[in-house]
Amino acid sequence: MMNDKITTFLNSGLLNKYLIGQTTTSETLEAEHFIAEYPAVQKAYEVLQNKLEFTAQLNAEKAPQSILEDVLNTIEEKPVVTLKSKRTKKWYSLAIAASLAALLFAGSSAYLFNQNNKLSDENQIIVDEIFDLRSDIADNNNTLHQLLEQFKQLNNPETEKYVLKGNTRAKNLKTVAYINPKEKKSMIDVISLPQLPDDKVYQIWAELQDKMVNLGVLSEADRRLQEIPYTQDALGLSISIEPKGGSQVRSKDTPVAEISLKLNE
């Protein structure tokens, strides 16, 4: 990416002045220093040289003879001014040429500057897209790693499978819990949940000897294998209907699904 020092130099027009021989001694040294020191400036200088040569060739067309005759006739009839010397005429022509060249190269420099900025913007877009792609790859690799870990847990001989089916209050409810007491891992697969009013949710609990432990709220959006907190010495699992947002204490209503665990056998 072009640094500020190079950008300021290219935008100053000094390179254009140097190309047409209009720089002072100090400006000449500065221009030659930048050309020798920075490849980007050297490249811009070469482009300007090529543009000058191309423009000169493009405009080097012979004027029609009729135009020349008209001009001569006009001069003979009404001489506008008498030039004092050939040197004055030459200086005047060079001044016009220098002015035109300065305008041409000022435009060329601005064009190059804009093109460089455009290229820098495009490069930044590509960098951002590569970064996003790498981020997506990392996320996919992380998801794949989690799936492999879950697959290993499901196929572990120490993992017990428990199917919780709903009672008459939730006939279509079905979830599957996978518990490995040796690895202290618990997972649940939400297969189906009957629809509830907007102010109610399903909540799963672990039953201990003297209390119920909240393991989280279940949702249709969670219809995938996911980890839940492992509870040491749990006697069973149950699913109840609670107020929206969940509850820290299980309702006194009969659970809609429950099952005993064999972890202590």
Side-chain angles (χ1 to χ4, degrees):
M1 184 176 293
M2 191 176 299
N3 60 40
D4 294 338
K5 189 175 182 180
I6 296 175
T7 301
T8 302
F9 174 79
L10 289 178
N11 216 23
S12 68
L14 187 57
L15 192 61
N16 301 329
K17 291 176 63 179
Y18 174 77
L19 186 62
I20 61 175
Q22 296 296 311
T23 52
T24 63
T25 302
S26 60
E27 289 175 338
T28 299
L29 292 175
E30 182 181 358
E32 290 177 348
H33 168 72
F34 271 83
I35 293 171
E37 186 71 19
Y38 301 103
V41 177
Q42 183 180 7
K43 184 176 181 180
Y45 178 66
E46 292 172 353
V47 171
L48 290 175
Q49 284 184 312
N50 292 335
K51 282 183 174 289
L52 176 60
E53 183 178 355
F54 175 78
T55 303
Q57 293 176 353
L58 184 65
N59 294 321
E61 297 180 1
K62 186 175 180 181
Q65 184 64 30
S66 59
I67 294 178
L68 179 59
E69 292 174 354
D70 292 341
V71 172
L72 293 175
N73 292 333
T74 302
I75 292 175
E76 290 177 357
E77 294 174 2
K78 296 180 180 180
V80 178
V81 64
T82 301
L83 297 178
K84 294 182 179 180
S85 67
K86 294 182 178 179
R87 183 178 179 182
T88 304
K89 181 177 181 181
K90 181 178 180 181
W91 177 88
Y92 182 71
S93 300
L94 288 175
I96 294 176
S99 299
L100 292 175
L103 291 174
L104 172 64
F105 294 125
S108 299
S109 180
Y111 172 78
L112 289 174
F113 178 72
N114 291 332
Q115 288 297 104
N116 283 329
N117 283 344
K118 182 179 179 181
L119 182 60
S120 297
D121 293 340
E122 291 175 351
N123 287 340
Q124 187 59 46
I125 292 173
I126 293 174
V127 170
D128 292 341
E129 289 177 348
I130 291 175
F131 180 81
D132 292 341
L133 181 60
R134 288 178 177 175
S135 179
D136 291 341
I137 292 174
D139 291 341
N140 291 337
N141 287 340
N142 184 50
T143 301
L144 180 59
H145 176 73
Q146 292 178 354
L147 291 175
L148 289 175
E149 287 297 318
Q150 292 175 351
F151 183 76
K152 286 169 61 178
Q153 287 294 328
L154 293 181
N155 288 277
N156 192 319
E158 300 293 335
T159 299
E160 297 286 347
K161 176 181 177 181
Y162 300 93
V163 179
L164 286 84
K165 294 183 178 180
N167 56 22
T168 54
R169 295 175 58 203
K171 292 183 179 179
N172 295 326
L173 184 150
K174 185 176 182 181
T175 62
V176 181
Y178 300 91
I179 302 177
N180 187 324
K182 185 175 181 179
E183 299 285 342
K184 299 188 183 302
K185 294 280 188 179
S186 297
M187 295 183 294
I188 191 166
D189 185 10
V190 178
I191 297 176
S192 63
L193 293 175
Q195 188 171 359
L196 288 174
D198 293 338
D199 60 343
K200 298 292 183 181
V201 294
Y202 292 103
Q203 193 166 344
I204 186 168
W205 307 82
E207 180 183 355
L208 296 180
Q209 190 69 37
D210 56 351
K211 64 178 180 178
M212 304 297 294
V213 178
N214 172 28
L215 299 182
V217 173
L218 301 179
S219 170
E220 280 284 358
D222 296 325
R223 293 184 61 179
R224 55 185 174 81
L225 195 61
Q226 58 184 311
E227 286 195 25
I228 58 174
Y230 175 80
T231 307
Q232 186 75 31
D233 300 326
L235 302 176
L237 296 175
S238 64
I239 299 174
S240 63
I241 297 176
E242 305 293 343
K244 184 177 181 179
S247 174
Q248 294 303 314
V249 180
R250 197 184 75 175
S251 67
K252 296 181 180 179
D253 292 341
T254 303
V256 295
E258 55 185 342
I259 195 170
S260 298
L261 302 181
K262 301 179 290 183
L263 304 181
N264 295 322
E265 294 183 2

